[in-house]
Amino acid sequence: FVCISFWTLYTYNRELVYPKSLDGVIPLWLNHAMHTAVLPFALLEILATPHRYPAKRKGSILLGCVSSLYISWVLWIYSVTGEWVYPLFALFNPAGLAAFFASSLVIIISFYNFGEFLNRMIWGQYK
């Protein structure tokens, strides 16, 4: 999710997620380590290691909890600094921001289910 959402928004309008002013602060290699390398490494991990996924409900709840913690962290940073971690968030009113986070969670759960599907296709029903 991180790689695809970040680079999609960056391609559309980089100022929404990674303002040009950050180029002097965050080196290019670190930007790619945070936003690019995660996808090929995740794919390599699927190919190299079979995974045992929890039941769908439990996995979705855990993923929802982790996502909620991240959203809480983003909101806390905004409440303390008055600045959004990603400038994109400043474009939304509270309802729009909630809708954005909810739709992101749906996409994240879809990616999780796709990863489980790939794991099953590559490794079979691993127990």
Side-chain angles (χ1 to χ4, degrees), residues 5-17 88 91:
S5 61
F6 177 84
W7 288 112
T8 299
L9 289 167
Y10 185 97
T11 301
Y12 173 72
N13 180 353
R14 79 170 283 176
E15 294 298 316
L16 295 175
V17 289
L88 168 73
L91 300 176

Side-chain angles (χ1 to χ4, degrees), residues 4-95:
I4 291 169
S5 61
F6 177 84
W7 288 112
T8 299
L9 289 167
Y10 185 97
T11 301
Y12 173 72
N13 180 353
R14 79 170 283 176
E15 294 298 316
L16 295 175
V17 289
Y18 192 80
K20 207 161 187 52
S21 61
L22 290 178
D23 288 346
V25 179
I26 300 174
L28 184 62
W29 67 266
L30 184 55
N31 182 26
H32 282 291
M34 293 185 299
H35 300 112
T36 308
V38 292
L39 181 60
F41 283 126
L43 293 173
L44 284 172
E45 183 181 5
I46 288 172
L47 294 171
T49 308
H51 294 276
R52 281 185 232 145
Y53 281 77
K56 288 255 190 238
R57 180 175 163 82
K58 184 177 182 181
S60 296
I61 289 171
L62 290 171
L63 195 53
C65 288
V66 170
S67 297
S68 295
L69 285 171
Y70 179 76
I71 290 167
S72 297
W73 178 248
V74 166
L75 294 172
W76 182 81
I77 290 170
Y78 177 73
S79 73
V80 170
T81 67
E83 296 285 327
W84 287 107
V85 174
Y86 295 108
L88 168 73
F89 298 154
L91 300 176
F92 296 109
N93 61 27

Side-chain angles (χ1 to χ4, degrees), residues 73-122:
W73 178 248
V74 166
L75 294 172
W76 182 81
I77 290 170
Y78 177 73
S79 73
V80 170
T81 67
E83 296 285 327
W84 287 107
V85 174
Y86 295 108
L88 168 73
F89 298 154
L91 300 176
F92 296 109
N93 61 27
L97 195 58
F100 178 82
F101 288 146
S103 60
S104 295
L105 181 58
V106 168
I107 294 168
I108 290 168
I109 290 173
S110 299
F111 284 157
Y112 174 82
N113 288 329
F114 183 63
E116 182 179 18
F117 169 79
L118 285 178
N119 187 71
R120 196 171 44 254
M121 291 293 101
I122 294 167

